[in-house]
Amino acid sequence: SKWVYSFSKEKTEGNKDMKNLLGGKGANLAEMSSLGLPVPPGFTVTTEACIDYQKTKSFNDDIKKQVEEALKLVESSTGKTFGGGDNPLLFSVRSGARVSMPGMMDTVLNLGLNDETVEALSKKSDNERFAWDSYRRFIQMYANVVMGMSHSLLESTLEDLKEAKGVDSDTKLDAKDFKNLVKVYKQIIAQETGKKFPTDPMEQLWLAIEAVFGSWDNPRAIKYRQLNGIPGDWGTAVNVQAMVFGNMGDDCATGVCFTRDPSNGEKKFFGEYLVNAQGEDVVAGIRTPAPINECSKNDSNRSEKTLEEYMPKAFAELTDLYQQLEKHYKDMQDIEFTIEANKLYLLQTRNGKRTAAAALKIAVNLEEEGIVTKEEALMQIDPEALNQLLHPRLDPDATKNIIAKGLPASPGAGAGKIVFHSDDATSMHENGVKVILVRQETSPEDIAGMAAAQAILTARGGMTSHAAVVARGMGKPCVAGCSEILVDSKNRTMIVGDKKYVEGDFITLDGGTGEVIEGEVPTLDAEINADFAKFMAWADEIRTLRVRTNADNPEDSETAVKFGAEGIGLCRTEHMFFEPERILAVREMIFADSTSHREKALKKLLPYQKEDFKGIFKALDGKPVNIRLLDPPLHEFLPHELEDKKELAEYIDVELKTIEEGCERLHEFNPMLGHRGCRLGITYPEIYTMQVTAITQAALESIDEGVDVRPEIMIPLVATAKELSILREILVATIEQVRGDKEFNYKLGTMIELPRAAITAADIATHADFFSFGTNDLTQTTFGLSRDDAGRFLTEYISKSVLPSDPFVSLDQEGVGYLVKFATEQGRNANKEIHVGICGEHGGEPKSIDFCHRIGLDYVSCSPYRVPIARLAAAQAVI
Ligand code: ADP
Ligand code: MG
Ligand code: MG
């Protein structure tokens, strides 16, 4: 079989659609190569070879042979020879998985150098400093990636040398310095590893390929996969590519650019570069890079020379190429480039990571520019990413004591206690403490700490630094390159001006402005802009599934309507009972010893409920409002504290003992399967008749006030058709009586949340105007899994792949989903008019929404903030 794919001007075997086999980087290198773009030639060893290698920990003969053949092609394409001769070929060995895992795995540059080839390179380039700079870089990377030495050991030797020479930058070191450095490096490596640095380039190459394959399973790659749900059996490809040199002199450079602004999506070509530098220098934050053009400038680099000014020809070429790439890929690109002796090379392109706000703007603009269709634009955004847009920002009216300003690397506002180490961030977060991770700069080892933090602050690094890229991907606020702060992570302090901050002090970051603020500043909810409205209108145009919201009060209802809710799918009336001035009346009702006493207590609650319903009807004017009658067991409303019991005894004028006995009597061992839902309605019909009276009166009064009301009255926890038919009769009679001769339209239906109800849906449907699937309880009762306690072992179930995911988060389509589908079909057969929706947490989860669309439900209902997510997911389900 085929393990190796070449890419070069002469011969390219892969393309952009082969990401699974070639990895994202390899597939795109092949694609760019076949488009005729300036890409150094090379070859990709496939992900399948990685999996094969993982099994046997060795390379099979086919792989070896194919690598050697591909290597010859690179030699003939470049006219250089690997491992000898007077024009030595050097390679970069680069990892590349299916999806980009920025900085998660390792790269080795300048491979093929040894004491002989370095001399040849020096002679050929007529640049001794360059040759030895490349050699010391190679040894540094190789020792770390392949020989497993810590980064810091050789790095600190370099730092010491710079200090001894009194220079602040690598560019000020000369050939002699690098020659010495190489000697010292080799000694340290021999001491530390007990091995000699390998001199045979072929051996260097194989060990490097092996190391990249091995790096797929290093701890930080595993952590990244966990955080991003990437399967462990995908493997990584290895790209072996001819080196081009950005470190050959002042007519050389290396850089990273985005075809649009990744923070806000504006159509601005945007990027950073370094003269006379190589590879990771730009992203590692070792030297702070310069802007490539005027619009990439920020406050701290305003005076620096742009690439456009410094190398106008190469810049013009880069401009031409980025436009081609964007049109070709139909998306914003993140491009890595290197300029060798004024000649531009592209080393990587991929769809750029971006904030949700940027993603939205880019999708809308690309459609307007005719690059993508509406459908393609809608598919560009992960519905979950909209979450970020709906997130808090700083209250503009709050006073803020700005202590420093860095780069606005990832928008959003976050406040918390300062921590200086990632593991502290993780452990404090686990204890419920909000933290801000403050670092000199971040590295891939900080991933878990960044995920745990509210926001991230770094003292060094640019807009494309590790911290910035990762934070944007996570949707976390980040202020990067804030050079005014002095971070001393060893002593856990941060100094700004003459003030010292210690671990545990509160700060607030505004990732949209780069401000670092003392203390905890209040935040405000997000605003919806014109792009958002336009994009969501496309989603609404395409989707067929309606989206409602779960809201229990007028304020939440208003928020949801603002986010595009088309009705309320679930209004839980019991939440209205817990308000302090109402709970006493509720308890009086529970402890009543006669129907008439119970009715007396319920009468007190009626006006409250009526007002709440009127508020909700008003917010939803003309849209359906599904109101669920009382559902939880009475047990949940009982007083627990002695004080509360005394208060209640006094309120209803009985002995404390009576209350205590009552509590005992009402206690249930398994209340969630107990005296609740329609079972309360059957045993205490006066509760439901009071609620229905309140609904009817609220509706009539609202109609008089000019509000269009469409109530749907929902009876919970029905198991049998009989329960529903009994209650329907009672409630219809109540409504008829309350409304007298007034016009009033309503629907009466049920929740399907017990397996028995789903199985007998045909019978139940003859008494119902609608079904609403309560998939939280339906999941609990179908699995026999307590939703309040299952967390303890569910995580283990998921990590051991017993279950593919948490069934309370993403609907179990085979089991619970089957019941939903079955009941919908049965219900519709028995009652053609029946209206069907879902109101569990699943109503806001994209995969579950896709399922609901496929089985033909009428609507999903979810929490207000998830309404836009559901609207987009419903549109994507159609496309
Ligand atoms: P990552 O996946 O971490 O971005 P890459 O494989 O893209 O790692 O390599 C990192 C950097 O190394 C690149 O951005 C580029 O600057 C440099 N690099 C990689 N390949 C080459 C090459 N063939 N010639 C010159 N520089 C290279
Ligand atoms: Mg890269
Ligand atoms: Mg329920």
Side-chain angles (χ1 to χ4, degrees):
S1 55
K2 189 162 175 61
W3 305 101
V4 178
Y5 287 71
S6 290
F7 54 89
S8 67
K9 286 193 297 292
E10 294 78 16
K11 178 179 177 187
T12 295
E13 298 170 303
N15 64 55
K16 71 172 176 7
D17 301 320
M18 294 168 73
K19 290 203 172 78
N20 291 359
L21 189 62
L22 303 181
K25 199 179 287 164
N28 286 334
L29 284 169
E31 184 81 9
M32 288 196 290
S33 225
S34 51
L35 289 173
L37 306 185
V39 175
F43 54 89
T44 304
V45 190
T46 66
T47 54
E48 281 172 5
C50 177
I51 302 299
D52 188 76
Y53 169 83
Q54 300 281 14
K55 274 191 216 128
T56 59
K57 296 282 172 237
S58 69
F59 296 105
N60 68 51
D61 289 344
D62 276 353
I63 297 181
K64 286 189 192 150
K65 218 177 90 217
Q66 292 176 25
V67 165
E68 278 159 21
E69 283 165 10
L71 195 154
K72 292 224 171 66
L73 284 183
V74 183
E75 286 184 327
S76 63
S77 179
T78 54
K80 301 180 179 181
T81 47
F82 183 63
D86 50 15
N87 192 2
L89 174 61
L90 303 189
F91 280 127
S92 72
V93 177
R94 320 169 63 186
S95 66
R98 282 191 205 183
V99 294
S100 105
M101 296 166 64
M104 281 308 113
M105 287 179 300
D106 301 307
T107 303
V108 179
L109 301 181
N110 310 310
L111 185 138
L113 283 173
N114 58 29
D115 292 350
E116 279 111 59
T117 50
V118 73
E119 295 296 352
L121 184 68
S122 168
K123 215 188 235 152
K124 179 77 197 172
S125 62
D126 194 20
N127 187 336
E128 195 183 19
R129 181 193 177 279
F130 148 71
W132 287 90
D133 176 42
S134 301
Y135 196 12
R136 68 91 194 167
R137 285 171 182 272
F138 169 53
I139 296 176
Q140 244 172 286
M141 292 177 113
Y142 194 91
N144 174 239
V145 175
V146 184
M147 304 181 81
M149 268 180 56
S150 106
H151 225 332
S152 55
L153 214 57
L154 301 185
E155 196 69 49
S156 61
T157 312
L158 175 64
E159 291 298 322
D160 290 349
L161 175 66
K162 284 200 288 195
E163 211 174 291
K165 285 202 71 175
V167 298
D168 58 359
S169 169
D170 304 353
T171 49
K172 295 184 182 134
L173 297 176
D174 60 23
K176 221 172 99 222
D177 295 325
F178 289 134
K179 267 188 196 172
N180 277 331
L181 210 51
V182 163
K183 212 186 282 163
V184 178
Y185 278 179
K186 284 185 183 165
Q187 281 164 5
I188 298 177
I189 290 168
Q191 263 165 29
E192 286 296 309
T193 66
K195 281 185 224 152
K196 269 190 72 182
F197 193 84
T199 52
D200 173 13
M202 215 50 210
E203 184 188 346
Q204 292 173 351
L205 179 62
W206 281 112
L207 290 175
I209 295 175
E210 219 170 334
V212 173
F213 280 166
S215 75
W216 175 253
D217 273 330
N218 75 27
R220 59 175 206 250
I222 291 173
K223 182 82 209 171
Y224 187 91
R225 289 205 293 272
Q226 263 173 13
L227 282 169
N228 292 279
I230 298 169
D233 60 6
W234 279 2
T236 177
V238 178
N239 301 291
V240 178
Q241 185 181 33
M243 281 298 296
V244 287
F245 300 101
N247 60 331
M248 232 187 221
D250 288 342
D251 55 355
C252 301
T254 183
V256 182
C257 57
F258 290 88
T259 59
R260 294 171 195 243
D261 188 326
S263 298
N264 59 24
E266 274 175 37
K267 195 178 175 185
K268 273 195 205 160
F269 185 41
F270 179 89
E272 296 171 326
Y273 82 109
L274 279 174
V275 176
N276 197 10
Q278 207 180 44
E280 314 282 20
D281 294 1
V282 176
V283 275
I286 292 167
R287 273 162 65 192
T288 299
I292 55 166
N293 55 4
E294 200 54 38
C295 65
S296 303
K297 284 189 174 176
N298 56 49
D299 287 347
S300 59
N301 63 19
R302 193 142 308 281
S303 59
E304 284 175 60
K305 210 161 190 180
T306 65
L307 182 67
E308 187 170 15
E309 292 160 343
Y310 188 70
M311 297 180 177
K313 218 185 106 247
F315 182 81
E317 203 176 333
L318 184 61
T319 303
D320 179 49
L321 291 176
Y322 95 72
Q323 285 165 350
Q324 272 188 53
L325 282 175
E326 194 174 74
K327 286 217 178 74
H328 184 75
Y329 283 93
K330 296 176 165 222
D331 201 352
M332 184 262 266
Q333 296 296 296
D334 166 354
I335 300 165
E336 293 171 10
F337 65 89
T338 284
I339 299 167
E340 176 182 319
N342 285 315
K343 163 104 186 72
L344 176 72
Y345 293 92
L346 298 181
L347 295 176
Q348 188 171 345
T349 192
R350 63 183 160 207
N351 295 342
K353 294 212 186 247
R354 63 203 79 176
T355 63
L360 188 78
K361 185 161 193 64
I362 290 168
V364 170
N365 288 354
L366 287 174
E367 195 273 349
E368 288 167 352
E369 292 162 31
I371 296 175
V372 302
T373 63
K374 280 179 197 172
E375 286 80 1
E376 285 167 335
L378 286 169
M379 290 310 286
Q380 274 190 1
I381 294 183
D382 172 7
E384 291 285 351
L386 295 180
N387 243 334
Q388 281 183 41
L389 285 183
L390 313 166
H391 274 156
R393 66 203 158 85
L394 288 184
D395 180 351
D397 295 332
T399 44
K400 34 182 199 180
N401 175 14
I402 301 169
I403 52 173
K405 209 165 167 195
L407 301 176
S410 178
K417 292 183 170 179
I418 300 176
V419 288
F420 295 96
H421 297 277
S422 275
D423 33 350
D424 295 336
T426 319
S427 62
M428 284 171 78
H429 174 72
E430 274 163 10
N431 292 322
V433 182
K434 291 185 172 173
V435 297
I436 305 286
L437 182 63
V438 179
R439 306 278 298 158
Q440 184 72 1
E441 64 210 355
T442 66
S443 76
E445 280 104 88
D446 292 315
I447 278 286
M450 294 175 74
Q454 300 300 114
I456 298 120
L457 171 62
T458 67
R460 278 208 293 210
M463 292 293 281
T464 51
S465 65
H466 178 266
V469 172
V470 172
R472 281 198 293 271
M474 287 180 173
K476 299 251 163 182
C478 175
V479 174
C482 185
S483 50
E484 298 160 61
I485 63 166
L486 285 175
V487 179
D488 179 352
S489 57
K490 215 161 112 206
N491 292 309
R492 295 166 196 259
T493 61
M494 162 181 121
I495 292 171
V496 189
D498 48 14
K499 188 148 179 193
K500 190 153 136 192
Y501 297 83
V502 300
E503 189 173 84
D505 287 350
F506 269 105
I507 55 167
T508 301
L509 301 183
D510 185 340
T513 60
E515 289 163 354
V516 181
I517 305 155
E518 191 176 83
E520 215 180 353
V521 181
T523 54
L524 282 188
D525 290 351
E527 260 173 292
I528 298 168
N529 64 22
D531 287 330
F532 183 82
K534 185 165 189 179
F535 184 81
M536 293 312 296
W538 295 340
D540 293 343
E541 220 172 277
I542 282 167
R543 73 188 158 91
T544 52
L545 197 62
R546 308 265 115 201
V547 176
R548 296 196 190 182
T549 191
N550 301 345
D552 308 333
N553 56 55
E555 300 84 74
D556 287 358
S557 307
E558 269 166 38
T559 309
V561 169
K562 208 176 70 194
F563 285 148
E566 298 166 288
I568 289 186
L570 177 63
C571 170
R572 303 171 175 91
T573 47
E574 58 269 16
H575 288 184
M576 303 172 176
F577 285 5
F578 279 104
E579 309 258 320
E581 73 273 28
R582 307 177 187 187
I583 190 71
L584 271 175
V586 174
R587 288 176 178 159
E588 179 179 8
M589 182 266 289
I590 294 171
F591 284 88
D593 50 8
S594 68
T595 307
S596 63
H597 187 188
R598 194 171 304 112
E599 279 171 346
K600 194 185 116 214
L602 283 164
K603 252 199 196 114
K604 294 185 192 164
L605 287 168
L606 191 139
Y608 291 125
Q609 289 237 292
K610 193 179 79 183
E611 283 311 310
D612 287 335
F613 293 142
K614 281 180 73 176
I616 292 171
F617 288 148
K618 193 160 173 215
L620 271 294
D621 195 12
K623 299 183 177 77
V625 178
N626 180 315
I627 299 164
R628 180 178 71 184
L629 302 183
L630 191 67
D631 181 43
L634 296 181
H635 165 107
E636 282 197 6
F637 298 98
L638 298 179
H640 296 294
E641 306 297 322
L642 183 62
E643 235 169 83
D644 294 336
K645 289 179 184 170
K646 277 189 186 151
E647 190 190 12
L648 180 61
E650 213 165 286
Y651 182 72
I652 57 178
D653 194 20
V654 293
E655 303 271 318
L656 179 61
K657 215 175 101 223
T658 316
I659 302 294
E660 275 169 339
E661 280 168 8
C663 289
E664 203 116 308
R665 192 165 31 88
L666 283 162
H667 174 82
E668 289 187 277
F669 283 105
N670 203 343
M672 292 323 282
L673 297 178
H675 195 181
R676 57 173 284 212
C678 69
R679 299 161 194 175
L680 288 172
I682 299 275
T683 50
Y684 305 120
E686 52 281 8
I687 299 178
Y688 279 8
T689 50
M690 179 280 283
Q691 291 196 289
V692 167
T693 303
I695 293 170
T696 310
Q697 288 181 352
L700 295 178
E701 287 176 24
S702 301
I703 292 170
D704 284 345
E705 290 163 20
V707 178
D708 181 6
V709 295
R710 293 179 49 197
E712 301 176 352
I713 298 163
M714 179 155 76
I715 297 169
L717 213 77
V718 161
T720 74
K722 190 81 185 174
E723 287 168 324
L724 187 59
S725 73
I726 292 173
L727 287 169
R728 186 179 181 101
E729 200 173 317
I730 297 172
L731 299 180
V732 168
T734 306
I735 293 169
E736 292 301 319
Q737 196 207 335
V738 176
R739 79 161 159 189
D741 51 9
K742 289 208 170 142
E743 270 303 310
F744 164 55
N745 288 321
Y746 65 92
K747 287 186 171 143
L748 211 152
T750 183
M751 230 164 153
I752 303 285
E753 51 189 334
L754 294 173
R756 193 187 189 287
I759 291 164
T760 60
D763 279 345
I764 293 176
T766 59
H767 308 286
D769 303 324
F770 63 84
F771 281 169
S772 172
F773 290 96
T775 49
N776 296 342
D777 266 328
L778 190 59
T779 298
Q780 169 163 268
T781 51
T782 301
F783 273 93
L785 197 61
S786 160
R787 56 200 252 216
D788 304 307
D789 305 313
R792 277 175 221 164
F793 56 89
L794 263 185
T795 19
E796 197 168 332
Y797 258 56
I798 293 155
S799 70
K800 289 186 172 158
S801 300
V802 181
L803 286 173
S805 59
D806 183 338
F808 292 107
V809 174
S810 191
L811 188 73
D812 158 46
Q813 299 183 8
E814 285 163 33
V816 180
Y818 178 82
L819 286 176
V820 174
K821 179 168 179 272
F822 176 82
T824 302
E825 287 163 3
Q826 297 286 309
R828 286 201 173 129
N829 283 341
N831 175 359
K832 279 199 193 54
E833 301 293 303
I834 202 160
H835 198 243
V836 185
I838 139 176
C839 65
E841 288 304 302
H842 305 102
E845 193 271 330
K847 279 205 205 87
S848 313
I849 293 170
D850 183 69
F851 177 80
C852 293
H853 170 81
R854 279 187 278 122
I855 64 166
L857 296 196
D858 295 304
Y859 70 87
V860 293
S861 188
C862 57
S863 65
Y865 276 87
R866 295 198 74 85
V867 167
I869 297 170
R871 287 159 71 197
L872 177 55
Q876 293 185 347
V878 177
I879 303 166

